[in-house]
């Protein structure tokens, strides 16, 4: 009389165990294939500890190193706020002061990188406000694009250069047209095109920043960008919204 119930319980127990095993395997697979995603999800799993809310760094840092990270983050947040106003995003920041740490969390040769438009990783070469605010600008822009619409990669990257006030690619502020390298020909639209172009031509960032800076000057700077975002969220195409 009770045999069917026992068999049913055993069947459910096996099913739960199998599903648990699949879940563990899936998590392990993500950690192996995409360590940066796993690290931003679980910083402690990769040897990072919370330095301040939302900011994670290696353990056993000197007070000078901790203070450098705090200053970098504070300055980067100031640049985001100065351009965008009150931020809509609050990206989790993973900061490494050693190459071993950055490699462990999935970093490559870049100074910093935005992960899934939600988190930011900074390498030992990216511990300054320019790099940090550049990557944070990507996150903030996509947080504001609530409709999920995308923008050309050259616009996203050029805007991040402007927001971060990167002196490598822009003339000093106050000079109006801050272009150092005017764009000639089409700029990379997709991420794949951007990565290929930027790796071959060091002027790709400067040309994109020039295009964005000139568009902002012609459309009211920050207010022009906010209006563009509103139009994109309302369903307009990038081409029509930027006219």
């Amino acid at each position: 009389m009770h045999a069917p119930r026992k068999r049913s319980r055993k069947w459910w127990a096996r099913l739960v165990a199998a599903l648990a095993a699949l879940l563990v395997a899936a998590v392990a697979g993500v950690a192996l294939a995409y360590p940066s995603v796993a690290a931003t999800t679980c910083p402690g799993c990769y040897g990072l500890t919370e330095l301040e809310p939302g900011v994670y760094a290696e353990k056993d840092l000197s007070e000078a190193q901790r203070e450098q990270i705090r200053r970098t983050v504070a300055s980067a947040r100031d640049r985001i706020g100065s351009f965008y106003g009150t931020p809509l995003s609050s990206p989790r920041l993973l900061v490494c002061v050693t190459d071993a740490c950055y490699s462990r969390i999935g970093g490559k040769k870049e100074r910093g990188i935005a992960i899934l438009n939600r988190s930011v990783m900074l390498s030992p070469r990216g511990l300054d406000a320019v790099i940090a605010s550049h990557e944070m600008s990507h996150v903030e822009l996509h947080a504001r694009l609530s409709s999920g619409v995308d923008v050309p990669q050259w616009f996203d990257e050029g805007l991040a250069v402007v927001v971060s006030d990167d002196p490598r690619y822009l003339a000093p502020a106050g000079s109006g047209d801050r272009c150092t390298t005017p764009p000639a020909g089409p700029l990379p639209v997709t991420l794949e095109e951007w990565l290929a172009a930027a790796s071959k031509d060091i002027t790709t960032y400067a040309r994109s920043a020039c295009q964005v800076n000139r568009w902002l000057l012609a459309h009211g700077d920050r207010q022009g960008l906010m209006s563009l975002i509103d139009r994109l969220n309302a369903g307009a195409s990038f081409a029509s919204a930027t006219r």
Side-chain angles (χ1 to χ4, degrees), residues 86-234:
T86 302
L88 297 185
S89 65
S90 182
R92 176 172 285 183
L93 306 178
L94 273 61
V95 184
C96 285
V97 300
T98 65
D99 289 329
C101 164
Y102 197 61
S103 176
R104 186 168 61 251
I105 64 175
K108 305 298 182 184
K109 295 180 179 180
E110 69 278 346
R111 294 171 181 259
I113 189 171
I115 304 297
L116 300 179
N117 294 316
R118 294 182 179 180
S119 305
V120 168
M121 299 192 331
L122 297 177
S123 79
R125 297 165 300 285
L127 291 182
D128 64 66
V130 170
I131 302 303
S133 58
H134 180 111
E135 301 306 331
M136 291 165 69
S137 175
H138 292 315
V139 179
E140 181 65 20
L141 174 62
H142 287 270
R144 290 173 179 269
L145 292 172
S146 57
S147 64
V149 67
D150 216 345
V151 297
Q153 197 65 29
W154 66 262
F155 187 87
D156 197 346
E157 295 290 348
L159 180 62
V161 171
V162 172
V163 172
S164 65
D165 194 23
D166 196 327
R168 296 174 298 172
Y169 309 120
L170 291 170
S175 57
D177 187 348
R178 302 180 65 188
C179 289
T180 59
T181 309
L187 293 167
V189 174
T190 67
L191 176 59
E192 291 74 18
E193 291 172 348
W194 176 270
L195 293 174
S199 65
K200 296 175 183 177
D201 185 355
I202 60 174
T203 70
T204 305
Y205 278 97
R207 291 187 293 115
S208 298
C210 175
Q211 187 90 326
V212 171
N213 176 241
R214 287 179 173 177
W215 185 88
L216 290 170
L217 285 175
H219 293 83
D221 291 310
R222 177 184 178 278
Q223 290 306 315
L225 176 65
M226 296 302 108
S227 179
L228 169 62
I229 290 172
D230 288 340
R231 293 198 295 274
L232 292 174
N233 285 336

